[in-house]
Amino acid sequence: MNHAIQFQHGKIIVPDQPVIPFIEGDGIGKDITEPSQRVINAAVTAAYGNTKKLIWKEVLAGKKAFELTGNYMPDETLKAFQDYLVGIKGPLETPVGEGIRSLNVALRQTLDLYVCLRPIRWFKGVPSPVRYPELVDMHIFRENTEDIYAGIEFMTGTEKASQFLDFLINEMEVNVIRFPESSSFGVKPVSKEGSERLIRAAIQYAVQRELPSVTIVHKGNIMKFTEGAFKNWGYDLAETEFGEQTFTWRQYQKTEKLLGKTEAKAELAKAKSSGKVIVKDVITDAFLQESLLHPFDHSVIATLNLNGDYISDQLAAMVGGIGISPGANINYNSGYAIFEATHGTAPNIAGTGKANPGSLILSGAMLLEYLGWDKAAEHVYDAMEHTFSKRKVTSDLFSMMEGAILLSTSEFANEIIRNIH
Ligand code: NAD
């Protein structure tokens, strides 16, 4: 029997018993991985009986890999993710030292996982700093391979920084660097291809899930040729590739200019009532405010790397924090996907039973959805909500909830499994 997930004609083909490579992770990775797998297994069994099953295959990375093989990211690990297409990981500590890249970045770059997907939803009962958390339901598509995060930086005082400065001043006629001699430099590449593939994935996701809108979040008012271009390429793509399924804010503005406000409003209303995805844009700083005040106005968010970093953490905080925020890194053109707990290794609580396994469990539910096993994913969501509504939580949420019952990492997972049954 073939247990590897395949990618053919733009679609993943999933056997009934796919092998899922997993990295346990450092720090609390050890505490949360096994309980999370038990929850996911229980959900699959509840949904499909004995007809479907995940075959977990441990692959090494991080400290455990270093101890056993002398290498933080053995080639076999990368190969396993390539061979089996879809995997999951716990958090990895970034090793300190010259020349060692972040292991997470290495995985993303090797597999060209250009989308960082973070769904943000609220579970009934979870403490939230916002007034109407039940209205928060957003899906962040953060570009993962470009922008200021691409790692093109030159440290002040080095030969490269001085060559770069010389090039900027003498060849590019740049005269706005305030303190040239003591400046470090970073370069922000944003490409048409990179922007289009990210925004295409966001629109496709909205269309497939019948979500109402895609908001392009950018800082194009200041960075016109990178962030501004990202917005324009996004609108162009929506109008050319998804003309039948979308209505853009740019089209609204054109109609308003040509035919007036009443006509533009009528077109927008017609697009909404016919189920079209509304594609709009918001400047990043305004978005951070708007997402707090009117979260219900935004559904899918398509944004660049750095903006996406800030937005992910703010939105996660609105629905209960990083302990229950899942994520995935995906290449929709090759099918490669790695689902992951979005928090770090939390060394301060590792081995104490205090870690919340929610982030990894929900990442597992996202993995099930990616496989098309939605029924199993629903079991996870329902059981987790039921657990929270009974105020049974791990220590990160315990202190914020009145009358809460404190559970350890493992007990919390057991409670979810009970609720699945
Ligand atoms: P962190 O996310 O590990 O911890 C921040 C705070 O949140 C800590 O107080 C921690 O106890 C708490 N916390 C995190 N996850 C929790 C959970 N599941 N349940 C309860 N509390 C939780 O961030 P950090 O301290 O900045 O980073 C520690 C290490 O993790 C660093 O080496 C960093 O490079 C790495 N890191 C890895 C990833 C990843 O693998 N995706 C992400 C972020 C940080």
Side-chain angles (χ1 to χ4, degrees):
M1 198 194 292
N2 188 355
H3 293 291
I5 297 170
Q6 312 278 326
F7 190 72
Q8 285 168 11
H9 311 299
K11 284 206 168 99
I12 58 163
I13 315 288
V14 184
D16 283 338
Q17 297 194 3
V19 171
I20 305 293
F22 73 92
I23 294 171
E24 181 181 82
D26 299 322
I28 57 169
K30 197 175 174 52
D31 309 350
I32 60 178
T33 295
E34 190 271 337
S36 301
Q37 289 177 351
R38 281 195 286 115
V39 171
I40 301 302
N41 290 344
V44 171
T45 308
Y48 307 112
N50 292 329
T51 61
K52 288 187 198 293
K53 184 182 168 193
L54 299 180
I55 303 176
W56 301 103
K57 174 185 170 68
E58 179 164 12
V59 291
L60 298 172
K63 270 191 181 160
K64 192 169 179 181
F66 189 75
E67 278 158 23
L68 293 170
T69 70
N71 188 346
Y72 282 102
M73 182 64 74
D75 289 344
E76 299 85 71
T77 297
L78 289 170
K79 187 161 180 322
F81 284 115
Q82 279 165 332
D83 289 347
Y84 295 105
L85 218 72
V86 178
I88 190 163
K89 63 175 276 293
L92 290 172
E93 189 181 307
T94 301
V96 184
E98 287 290 317
I100 300 179
R101 282 185 312 172
S102 154
L103 301 175
N104 296 305
V105 174
L107 275 173
R108 281 172 211 167
Q109 284 183 346
T110 308
L111 300 174
D112 192 23
L113 304 173
Y114 62 87
V115 169
C116 175
L117 172 58
R118 298 267 178 94
I120 307 285
R121 62 163 280 189
W122 181 68
F123 287 94
K124 209 171 165 191
V126 173
S128 161
V130 297
R131 198 184 290 177
Y132 303 111
E134 66 277 17
L135 300 179
V136 179
D137 185 11
M138 290 184 259
H139 311 254
I140 306 165
F141 277 69
R142 170 187 175 196
E143 207 290 326
N144 232 355
T145 61
E146 300 197 308
D147 196 2
I148 204 78
Y149 264 45
I152 311 170
E153 284 198 305
F154 308 111
M155 180 66 192
T156 182
T158 62
E159 180 62 26
K160 290 220 162 113
S162 115
Q163 279 173 0
F164 194 66
L165 177 66
D166 188 55
F167 170 74
L168 288 177
I169 292 177
N170 296 320
E171 300 207 26
M172 304 305 285
E173 295 167 10
V174 171
N175 59 9
V176 292
I177 303 170
R178 180 68 186 82
F179 298 109
E181 296 313 322
S182 65
S183 284
S184 287
F185 299 97
V187 180
K188 178 183 173 79
V190 176
S191 70
K192 185 165 186 275
E193 282 130 299
S195 304
E196 283 181 347
R197 66 180 184 172
L198 183 278
I199 296 165
R200 183 179 295 116
I203 297 177
Q204 264 161 357
Y205 182 93
V207 169
Q208 275 160 11
R209 296 180 168 230
E210 299 180 0
L211 296 169
S213 66
V214 173
T215 307
I216 299 172
V217 182
H218 62 93
K219 196 75 184 138
N221 54 333
I222 307 295
M223 292 172 273
K224 296 188 193 313
F225 303 140
T226 49
E227 308 237 347
F230 178 84
K231 172 192 76 173
N232 291 333
W233 290 324
Y235 276 141
D236 292 344
L237 181 103
E239 289 165 15
T240 52
E241 283 188 27
F242 297 91
E244 295 293 307
Q245 296 119 316
T246 64
F247 181 73
T248 68
W249 185 241
R250 197 167 71 171
Q251 286 169 323
Y252 176 93
Q253 285 171 319
K254 266 186 206 157
T255 309
E256 188 181 20
K257 212 168 164 190
L258 283 173
L259 305 169
K261 211 178 193 98
T262 314
E263 192 62 31
K265 277 191 171 172
E267 248 187 57
L268 177 62
K270 196 172 145 212
K272 280 186 181 169
S273 67
S274 62
K276 286 194 173 185
V277 175
I278 308 303
V279 179
K280 49 193 172 180
D281 75 280
V282 181
I283 305 279
T284 314
D285 38 323
F287 180 79
L288 288 172
Q289 175 170 293
E290 259 205 41
S291 55
L292 279 172
L293 300 175
H294 308 118
F296 39 85
D297 278 347
H298 301 284
S299 176
V300 176
I301 319 298
T303 193
L304 302 102
N305 203 329
L306 183 62
N307 295 333
D309 197 14
Y310 302 147
I311 291 168
S312 303
D313 275 23
Q314 170 171 311
L315 299 195
M318 286 162 65
V319 294
I322 50 177
I324 52 168
S325 297
N329 297 295
I330 304 175
N331 182 324
Y332 287 96
N333 299 329
S334 63
Y336 290 134
I338 300 184
F339 295 78
E340 67 171 351
T342 58
H343 52 73
T345 58
N348 53 336
I349 56 167
T352 63
K354 286 185 179 169
N356 187 340
S359 172
L360 195 59
I361 292 172
L362 292 173
S363 301
M366 283 176 77
L367 183 151
L368 294 172
E369 286 177 326
Y370 189 74
L371 302 186
W373 296 9
D374 292 22
K375 213 170 141 192
E378 279 308 317
H379 276 295
V380 177
Y381 297 134
D382 290 350
M384 194 173 254
E385 186 146 70
H386 199 66
T387 307
F388 286 134
S389 68
K390 287 198 283 182
R391 300 183 173 265
K392 296 190 170 178
V393 291
T394 43
S395 70
D396 51 328
L397 298 178
F398 178 71
S399 54
M400 294 187 269
M401 275 168 96
E402 246 175 67
I405 300 160
L406 179 63
L407 300 183
S408 71
T409 309
S410 204
E411 287 167 346
F412 181 71
N414 293 344
E415 186 62 24
I416 296 175
I417 293 168
R418 251 193 297 281
N419 289 328
I420 286 174
H421 297 312

